[in-house]
Amino acid sequence: GVPVVALAGALGEDLGDYRSAGVAAVTSILPRPMPLEEAMDQGANLVRDAARRTVELWSAHPAVRGGRG
């Protein structure tokens, strides 16, 4: 299947069994703690930046680059 990464506003203590739902990883869009109002105002930018960081991290993995690992 196609790997799925979930981007969340924040991560709680109990993420549940997300892997059984077909989600490979879960990460927060917040690069630092911030007030809810600021996060809401910057939502589009936060999602865009988190998606970019996630793709960069994913692409750095040897298996994604065609190597073994």
Side-chain angles (χ1 to χ4, degrees), residues 10 36 40 63:
L36 176 59
M40 299 285 285

Side-chain angles (χ1 to χ4, degrees), residues 23 47 57 59 61 63-64 66:
V23 176
V47 170
L57 180 61
S59 298
H61 191 281
V64 175

Side-chain angles (χ1 to χ4, degrees), residues 4-11 15 18 23-30 43-55 57-58:
V4 173
V5 176
L7 302 177
L11 304 178
L15 296 176
Y18 59 85
V23 176
V26 178
T27 190
S28 174
I29 65 169
L30 300 178
N45 293 332
L46 291 169
V47 170
R48 182 196 64 226
D49 293 347
R52 180 186 45 78
R53 289 190 308 270
T54 301
V55 169
L57 180 61
W58 198 280

